[in-house]
Amino acid sequence: MADPLLAHSLGEAYLYLMVTPCATCGKGPLAGGDAKRVDTPAGRPLCVAIDAACGACNRSLRLRFELPHGTGVDAGTGLPTINPTDEPSRLIDVAQYLTLFRVITERAARTKDKQESRRLGLEAAQCLQEALKFYEADNDLPPSAALFAEPSRRRLADHPQEFSRQRLLDLRAKLPAMSLIRAGASQAIRPRRRWWKFW
């Protein structure tokens, strides 16, 4: 079995499924079931397995994720944190996080459920924060190491304005502070909701 993928949280693992094309048909998205704990030797980080299926061709696969920072779910509020560290993702590149930000923001704008909208707003804001972690302070565009796949590199070459660090900072400035977003989302907790399912 392949080595587990390193994820900062369970939320990051599920976001990875959403932006990863199917190895068989090249489409997707991959839909993941419930994460199941995998037995690991003493001293090793938490490891989970997620059974996933392609939404286009139904190919099924099992992926394992190592979670050195735990699941990322706040025990008190039940709210997810995608990445509790300052380091950028090793699974999802900057272009994919920008796509997730746009898709989740659009979904939040369409929903009539205010509680669901707040939850989605929290996820979108975190995706934007994750994208910004790839940037260097003295460069308005992300470094080449921030783009993991050829489609992402092509997108940067074709539409560099979408990747402007200043543009992302301007988008972030329009959002409420993360603490306010979390406070609003924490009031919207519903029992047994699968928080990683965004649409």
Side-chain angles (χ1 to χ4, degrees):
M1 183 177 280
D3 289 338
L5 300 166
L6 184 64
H8 289 101
S9 69
L10 199 53
E12 187 179 46
Y14 280 102
L15 289 171
Y16 172 76
L17 295 179
M18 293 178 189
V19 295
T20 300
C22 173
T24 300
C25 71
K27 298 179 182 176
L30 301 178
D34 292 339
K36 297 181 175 93
R37 187 180 188 116
V38 174
D39 289 332
T40 55
R44 293 293 301 167
L46 171 65
C47 187
V48 298
I50 300 175
D51 291 322
C54 173
C57 72
N58 287 325
R59 175 186 180 250
S60 61
L61 69 158
R62 171 171 281 193
L63 293 170
R64 292 187 307 145
F65 295 89
E66 193 170 81
L67 308 173
H69 305 285
T71 63
V73 180
D74 184 280
T77 66
L79 293 174
T81 297
I82 293 173
N83 181 356
T85 76
D86 292 330
E87 65 184 22
S89 176
R90 298 182 191 179
L91 292 179
I92 303 169
D93 72 16
V94 63
Q96 292 168 324
Y97 264 124
L98 292 178
T99 297
L100 286 165
F101 171 74
R102 177 183 52 78
V103 169
I104 296 170
T105 299
E106 289 173 358
R107 174 72 174 126
R110 284 196 308 268
T111 185
K112 293 184 166 90
D113 185 329
K114 289 184 181 179
Q115 293 178 337
E116 182 68 5
S117 180
R118 282 194 293 266
R119 285 180 180 277
L120 291 168
L122 172 62
E123 300 305 333
Q126 288 188 81
C127 288
L128 185 58
Q129 283 295 116
E130 291 309 305
L132 282 163
K133 288 179 183 178
F134 286 98
Y135 288 75
E136 298 161 349
D138 58 350
N139 199 332
D140 192 52
L141 292 177
S144 59
L147 303 152
F148 305 158
E150 184 54 36
S152 295
R153 290 187 280 273
R154 207 166 39 243
R155 185 173 154 198
L156 173 60
D158 293 345
H159 306 285
Q161 70 281 0
E162 292 181 9
F163 290 83
S164 164
R165 181 172 180 266
Q166 188 57 54
R167 174 180 169 268
L168 303 192
L169 291 172
D170 291 344
L171 285 171
R172 187 177 68 180
K174 294 176 185 175
L175 298 173
M178 190 65 76
S179 59
L180 293 177
I181 296 173
R182 282 193 167 277
S186 68
Q187 297 169 10
I189 294 173
R190 289 180 180 157
R192 304 174 61 83
R193 182 183 183 279
R194 292 183 180 178
W195 50 263
W196 60 85
K197 307 290 188 183
F198 297 112
W199 54 88

